Amino acid sequence: MSDSGEFDLIANYFTHRWPSRDDVVLGIGDDAAILTPAENSQLVIATDTMVADVHFDQQTPARAIGHKIAAVNLSDLAAMGAEPAWLSLALTLPKVDEEWLNGFSHGLREICEYYDCQLIGGDTTKGPLSVTVTAHGFVPADHALRRDQAKPGDWIYVTGTLGDAGLALAAQQQRVQISDAHYRRVLERLYFPTPRVAIGQSLRDIASSAIDVSDGLLADLRHILKASNVGARLAVDELPLSMALTESVNEEQAIQFALTSGDDYELCFTVPESKRGVFDTLMSRHPAKPTCIGRLTNEPHKIRLEHDGERWQGQLEQHGYEHFRTA
Ligand code: ADP
Ligand code: MG
């Protein structure tokens, strides 16, 4: 419910020249949307919130906030192997700021266009800046990727490169010094993450488990280890690192970023030995080609970090970001 007249205008912002889909019977404008789910499929639904001064700061461009709140939700769908279809948006704004709304809606619309999603409704309220998106998608019945089906011996993979968003944040907070060119590169990764939607879907009958890396590789991999009751051996010298990262910090720091910093929105997943051949062929030409970084073990919940086959001697200073973490 809106609490002032001008807030009523906001839904108009999200309708003019936005993409529409055939499976939306009724979109924005009524009390609720009416949708036709695809046949023989299951609905997959994810929600994420970003709050000002918690998930982003004052200098974050509105377009980045619009992009990212959609991207992180599509990243969750990707980690389930789902095809995205519909988004809804809950917006809490301190005031009606046209410039901000322009930027924000632009960022959100770009994602809707690229991934063929339709914004089907939402809510607008007055209060401290916060944005919430719910993403709805489909998987063929019983073919979703989950966290609880991994087995000892499965290979561990990760898409793209790790640690870039963390480096951007560290540079922004002046915890590290990096070149302008590298800063631009990694800031793009922090502000405009790419959800691995196509890879997620192509992993459906291949991966034994999957998760998206939002809190840091170790923190997120641990969720798979817990759900599947397995352990992992990781080769830290195999972690996929960008040139921006390796040229900005020393090797140990680069590994720390890759293992523990969040916001990368890459996929981490496991592939059984029997599916590895099919998988390698399928992925050989992919731009965010997954890298094999280790293997699951039968030691529940244990993560062993190795460098050139020996136990890694490096230190881990940061941890995956957790809200409400107790010391
Ligand atoms: P109601 O009081 O019935 O909830 P609203 O004024 O909140 O009606 O919303 C009117 C229409 O605009 C609804 O279809 C709703 O889904 C849509 N809407 C409102 N806010 C947003 C938003 N931020 N993004 C997308 N759609 C919105
Ligand atoms: Mg409402």
Side-chain angles (χ1 to χ4, degrees):
M1 206 182 62
S2 314
D3 65 351
S4 83
E6 51 184 351
F7 274 72
D8 291 341
L9 299 172
I10 287 172
N12 296 336
Y13 250 93
F14 298 102
T15 48
H16 187 56
R17 289 208 256 145
W18 281 63
S20 64
R21 292 171 54 100
D22 292 344
D23 52 12
V24 177
V25 180
L26 195 58
I28 291 176
D30 211 308
D31 293 310
I34 306 177
L35 310 160
T36 313
E39 258 175 73
N40 303 321
S41 58
Q42 290 168 329
L43 262 179
V44 181
I45 303 180
T47 299
D48 261 308
T49 295
M50 288 172 29
V51 178
D53 301 323
V54 178
H55 300 95
F56 57 89
D57 61 16
Q58 299 298 328
Q59 46 179 323
T60 311
R63 186 175 145 244
I65 299 168
H67 174 103
K68 189 160 176 175
I69 190 58
V72 302
N73 274 280
L74 295 194
S75 176
D76 281 326
L77 293 193
M80 302 300 289
E83 179 190 339
W86 312 312
L87 300 181
S88 49
L89 168 69
L91 257 187
T92 305
L93 303 171
K95 60 180 187 319
V96 177
D97 176 340
E98 297 240 1
E99 196 184 321
W100 190 91
L101 276 163
N102 258 318
F104 177 82
S105 60
H106 193 104
L108 187 63
R109 195 178 65 200
E110 283 169 336
I111 288 265
C112 287
E113 280 163 355
Y114 190 84
Y115 295 98
D116 188 26
C117 286
Q118 183 170 344
L119 186 67
I120 50 149
D123 197 23
T124 312
T125 50
K126 189 168 181 168
L129 181 60
S130 143
V131 296
T132 298
V133 162
T134 298
H136 307 70
F138 305 114
V139 285
D142 302 320
H143 283 74
L145 299 170
R146 307 162 45 138
R147 299 176 179 182
D148 59 358
Q149 303 291 316
K151 299 281 180 301
D154 292 352
W155 298 93
I156 306 167
Y157 284 83
V158 69
T159 59
T161 58
L162 294 173
D164 297 326
L167 177 65
L169 201 62
Q172 203 169 49
Q173 297 170 346
Q174 285 163 6
R175 284 183 278 123
V176 295
Q177 292 283 326
I178 70 176
S179 75
D180 287 350
H182 288 332
Y183 184 56
R184 276 196 300 276
R185 257 325 248 289
V186 292
L187 198 62
E188 189 76 6
R189 296 265 292 154
L190 177 67
Y191 282 167
F192 298 97
T194 306
R196 302 299 182 192
V197 170
I199 294 188
Q201 287 173 60
S202 58
L203 290 176
R204 265 180 214 150
D205 293 312
I206 290 172
S208 52
S209 72
I211 193 166
D212 68 323
V213 182
S214 53
D215 296 334
L217 178 69
L218 287 183
D220 289 313
L221 177 63
R222 265 194 197 102
H223 294 307
I224 290 182
L225 303 187
K226 258 194 176 158
S228 296
N229 206 34
V230 292
R233 216 157 19 105
L234 286 186
V236 298
D237 48 315
E238 301 288 341
L239 291 168
L241 308 176
S242 68
M243 208 190 285
L245 183 58
T246 55
E247 288 184 354
S248 300
V249 296
N250 67 34
E251 190 199 13
E252 183 169 338
Q253 289 170 316
I255 291 170
Q256 285 173 7
F257 274 109
L259 290 175
T260 63
S261 68
D263 263 0
D264 285 318
Y265 297 100
E266 296 296 347
L267 294 182
C268 173
F269 56 92
T270 57
V271 177
E273 173 69 28
S274 61
K275 300 274 174 74
R276 224 181 165 200
V278 187
F279 171 72
D280 283 342
T281 317
L282 195 73
M283 290 294 153
S284 58
R285 289 156 165 272
H286 209 283
K289 191 177 178 309
T291 306
C292 185
I293 56 169
R295 204 165 185 185
L296 295 181
T297 67
N298 57 12
E299 286 183 290
H301 315 176
K302 279 230 172 72
I303 300 181
R304 184 185 154 92
L305 300 175
E306 294 181 349
H307 190 289
D308 287 326
E310 304 286 320
R311 189 176 287 273
W312 185 53
Q313 301 297 335
Q315 295 290 314
L316 291 175
E317 286 162 7
Q318 307 157 303
H319 299 273
Y321 186 72
E322 279 177 46
H323 290 271
F324 312 117
R325 189 191 187 92
T326 48

